[in-house]
Amino acid sequence: MTAADSMTTLRRRTSEKWRTHPDDVLPMFVAEMDFSLAPSISAALHAAIENGDTGYVDPHDLGTAQAFASYASDVWGWPAQPERMGYATDVSVVIVESLRRLIEPGDGVIINPPIYPPFFDLVPEAGGTVVEVPLSDDGEQYSLDLDGIDRALAAGARAVLLCNPHNPVGLVHSHETLTELSRVVAHHGAVVVSDEIHAPLTHHGATFTPYLTVSDAARAHGIAAESGSKAFNLAGLKSALFVAESDRMTDLIRGLPEEVTFRAGLLGLMATREGFTHGREWLNDTITTIESNFTLLEQQLAEKLPQVHVRRPKSTYLAWLDMRDLGWGDDPADYALRHAKVALSDGISFGKEGKGFARMNLACAPETIVEAIDRLC
């Protein structure tokens, strides 16, 4: 299992997670890990610094694309093609630059709240209009509302911005669901941009399905945003990939301005390549740690705070906490910060479906989880 760094070491970090709040607050909000980098990544970055290898990316170097393709083939059975990929700074850029070329100004783009908050902003940045089709919830599990998506497309929406796996609920969409989604989208002549940044963090025993593998229709109308930034804690190094499976989407990638590639971080591409190539054992151990932390969270809540409910996700290190029974109002994260000095992500920012919810980051030491629940009691 992967161990978290000491709190003393973590407090020396200068990222958002460790600079937003004073030291008496437990930061469990933004999606950053408290773990040290995978050894292979750390070694590669140190070697690059020693060599002064900190210049611009080489847009013709397919090394990182090949590393991702090898990982996708070995882990997901997806024979992704490096020559159909392109580089960018992060998945948000992949999303925006793809949508800009796939929709007309004002076109509707479907998102499925509760959803990663930037989705609400990325769609208008790309020139589109947000169309909300919330996840279905039967009280036991979440799922895509395929009928709702069908109705929204029939009403004029032209794209689906898919979160696969889904942040914040950790839903790993099934092959059957994604196949049906591709049929619905194809029927309406629409497109899909699939954000798959959390895919490498799929838990043991669960099966992640890349959207571009489910059907010929998906390959024709879909483009994927891939990255190692969540899996290997590389967000600040700025690298992500456009991935296509059709000539249409490959042409989209090839037609991007050169600056989209040049803005990617060379160190980020190096780190991503090392992670997908030599960091797989570290990632496997990290997922084991995350699963153990979810078990601990469940135990702590059952013993100390049974009014808070959580459904075990199948991906990510993010726990979606239903805190409505506490009576802390629509924004329990605000109450938690003010009264318990525990920083959580507020559920409202994920959409109106997030009222009374908060998101907790479990990529941390077990002791941090215990202390957080003790403070919240």
Side-chain angles (χ1 to χ4, degrees):
M1 290 172 51
T2 303
D5 289 341
S6 70
M7 193 60 69
T8 300
T9 298
L10 292 169
R11 295 283 182 196
R12 291 199 292 265
R13 293 185 181 182
T14 61
S15 61
E16 179 186 9
K17 184 174 184 179
W18 298 99
R19 286 294 181 265
T20 300
H21 302 288
D23 286 353
D24 60 348
V25 172
L26 278 182
M28 305 181 76
F29 62 114
V30 68
E32 299 178 18
M33 292 183 178
D34 291 356
F35 310 132
S36 296
L37 290 176
S40 63
I41 294 176
S42 182
L45 293 176
H46 277 91
I49 297 299
E50 290 173 0
N51 292 333
D53 193 4
T54 55
Y56 294 107
V57 302
D58 176 1
H60 306 294
D61 183 355
L62 294 180
T64 301
Q66 290 166 344
F68 172 76
S70 178
Y71 177 88
S73 177
D74 293 345
V75 178
W76 303 323
W78 176 20
Q81 304 167 69
E83 62 273 15
R84 291 189 181 274
M85 300 181 193
Y87 300 136
T89 54
D90 54 38
V91 295
S92 294
V93 170
V94 175
I95 290 168
V96 170
E97 295 296 340
S98 297
L99 284 176
R100 279 176 175 160
R101 289 155 180 81
L102 293 171
I103 64 172
E104 297 296 327
D107 279 351
V109 178
I110 296 168
I111 64 173
N112 310 114
I115 194 71
Y116 178 54
F119 275 24
F120 292 96
D121 300 319
L122 298 177
V123 170
E125 182 181 347
T129 301
V130 170
V131 176
E132 297 184 35
V133 179
L135 292 177
S136 295
D137 179 8
D138 64 5
E140 296 292 330
Q141 61 185 2
Y142 293 96
S143 61
L144 287 178
D145 179 0
L146 293 170
D147 290 339
I149 292 172
D150 189 13
R151 290 192 296 271
L153 291 170
R158 303 306 305 145
V160 177
L161 176 50
L162 180 67
C163 197
N164 179 37
H166 192 96
N167 174 8
V169 303
L171 169 65
V172 177
H173 304 295
S174 70
H175 187 283
E176 293 74 18
T177 294
L178 295 177
T179 301
E180 179 61 15
L181 174 64
S182 73
R183 186 197 67 78
V184 170
V185 171
H187 175 73
H188 294 285
V191 297
V192 172
V193 178
S194 184
D195 175 357
E196 301 182 353
I197 194 171
H198 289 281
L201 289 166
T202 298
H203 295 185
H204 299 124
T207 300
F208 168 72
T209 302
Y211 183 73
L212 299 183
T213 67
V214 298
S215 67
D216 289 340
R219 285 183 279 275
H221 66 229
I223 191 166
E226 309 286 351
S227 177
S229 66
K230 287 295 181 285
F232 299 106
N233 207 37
L234 308 175
L237 296 182
K238 293 300 177 186
S239 67
L241 298 98
F242 296 83
V243 182
E245 284 284 348
S246 67
D247 290 344
R248 174 191 179 189
M249 297 303 179
T250 301
D251 287 345
L252 181 155
I253 295 170
R254 296 292 165 259
L256 292 166
E258 287 185 345
E259 287 301 316
V260 173
T261 298
F262 284 126
R263 288 170 186 151
L266 180 61
L267 295 180
L269 292 178
M270 291 178 186
T272 301
R273 182 183 66 237
E274 287 299 319
F276 284 127
T277 303
H278 300 117
R280 298 186 192 184
E281 182 177 354
W282 179 92
L283 179 58
N284 183 69
D285 290 344
T286 297
I287 293 171
T288 298
T289 297
I290 292 165
E291 292 172 329
S292 176
N293 282 349
F294 270 102
T295 298
L296 175 62
L297 175 67
E298 292 170 336
Q299 294 169 346
Q300 289 289 303
L301 291 176
E303 294 172 8
K304 303 173 182 177
L305 209 58
Q307 305 97 316
V308 177
H309 311 287
V310 62
R311 301 179 200 175
R312 187 139 188 162
K314 293 185 177 181
S315 182
T316 83
Y317 48 77
L318 305 169
W320 186 234
L321 304 179
D322 181 350
M323 307 178 82
R324 290 174 291 183
D325 288 347
L326 288 173
W328 291 0
D330 289 345
D331 186 6
D334 177 67
Y335 186 96
L337 180 60
R338 290 187 291 107
H339 293 272
K341 295 189 176 181
V342 176
L344 307 173
S345 295
D346 68 279
I348 295 175
S349 65
F350 293 81
K352 60 181 180 294
E353 294 75 15
K355 289 182 179 180
F357 287 76
R359 194 188 73 179
M360 176 181 279
N361 181 340
L362 299 188
C364 59
E367 295 81 6
T368 300
I369 298 169
V370 174
E371 182 176 350
I373 301 307
D374 286 341
R375 290 188 182 198
L376 292 170
C377 288

